[in-house]
Amino acid sequence: MAINLQKGQRISLEKADGNKLQNICVGINWGAIEKKGLFGFGSTKEAVDLDASCALYDDQKRLLEVVYFGNLKSKDQSVRHSGDDLTGDMGGDDGIDNEVITVDFSRLSTAVTYVAFVLNSFRGQDFGAIPFASIRIYEGTPKRVTEIFAKYDIANGEGFKGHVSMVMGVFYKKNGEWKFNAIGEPTKDRKLEETVKTVTQNYL
């Protein structure tokens, strides 16, 4: 049974059968912006480049590495990025995530205590101007959803308009057990480096 979290909610990732969660995916699906022509006649599609990224920290909240479009795999290969999507769905919502980041907790370095997910609009396109943009954090693989832990609608969600950056959520290890904090908060940042700094200062 899927657990659809509200912002700020925290859950343990021990499953009903007592087994520990092993694999997590963060998928983002979004559309291109439709621009009306002169005097309202005709329209064109403007490509949208959103970037999902994952920042890894140790127990002292020191940044260890960032997996993003310029670094698609963590050093231990436990975190993988599907690659940079530069346009979004130009022909309408196809229901398929444009970018997916996967985490295999069983392979994750023991030095890692926090795994934070953030989203940035590379060209500075306002989340509120995008016709549809949704995020889901789930157990499974890029091609199979087993259990959804959190969903966010950033195109229509309250508070996202006027922003180009957000913190999606943070997995954190406590007493040897992984838990999840569904944050879902926009930030005032413009660049990935700024958003990662915001996570360090406010969300770990």
Side-chain angles (χ1 to χ4, degrees):
M1 181 177 179
I3 305 171
N4 292 323
L5 299 182
Q6 299 298 316
K7 290 198 302 184
Q9 189 173 347
R10 295 172 183 258
I11 62 166
S12 167
L13 298 185
E14 180 173 308
K15 297 187 286 186
D17 60 7
N19 290 324
K20 302 294 184 182
L21 187 73
Q22 296 296 323
N23 294 287
I24 276 291
C25 297
V26 174
I28 300 94
N29 180 40
W30 71 89
I33 297 172
E34 185 169 329
K35 293 284 190 179
K36 296 294 184 183
L38 190 63
F39 305 117
F41 294 104
S43 64
T44 58
K45 289 292 183 71
E46 177 184 310
V48 173
D49 184 2
L50 298 184
D51 292 325
S53 306
C54 177
L56 308 178
Y57 301 83
D58 66 11
D59 61 351
Q60 300 299 310
K61 302 180 181 179
R62 290 177 298 216
L63 182 64
L64 300 175
E65 60 181 316
V66 179
V67 176
Y68 67 111
F69 65 85
N71 177 41
L72 297 178
K73 298 177 184 177
S74 61
K75 295 184 182 73
D76 59 12
Q77 308 289 302
S78 65
V79 183
R80 295 172 178 264
H81 193 299
S82 63
D84 194 11
D85 187 305
L86 303 174
T87 63
D89 292 346
M90 298 295 286
D93 189 358
D94 60 8
I96 300 172
D97 293 329
N98 297 86
E99 291 188 12
V100 180
I101 297 176
T102 60
V103 180
D104 183 346
F105 286 103
S106 68
R107 299 178 62 189
L108 193 63
S109 168
T110 56
V112 177
T113 301
Y114 301 95
V115 181
F117 289 93
V118 302
L119 184 69
N120 295 85
S121 177
F122 185 76
R123 299 189 184 100
Q125 292 158 311
D126 189 329
F127 287 151
I130 303 169
F132 62 90
S134 61
I135 299 166
R136 55 184 181 176
I137 299 177
Y138 61 93
E139 181 188 9
T141 71
K143 295 183 179 180
R144 187 193 74 251
V145 178
T146 303
E147 184 173 357
I148 297 174
F149 291 104
K151 287 181 177 180
Y152 307 118
D153 181 348
I154 62 172
N156 303 297
E158 183 179 349
F160 290 110
K161 185 177 181 180
H163 294 85
V164 298
S165 171
M166 70 170 292
V167 181
M168 295 184 275
V170 177
F171 292 90
Y172 61 99
K173 189 165 54 177
K174 187 174 183 180
N175 299 324
E177 180 182 348
W178 283 100
K179 299 177 182 293
F180 178 63
N181 180 12
I183 294 169
E185 290 288 347
T187 77
K188 296 179 180 179
D189 305 311
R190 307 291 298 180
K191 303 294 183 181
L192 172 59
E193 295 81 2
E194 298 170 355
T195 312
V196 169
K197 186 175 181 181
T198 295
V199 170
T200 306
Q201 294 173 339
N202 299 323
Y203 294 108
L204 300 183

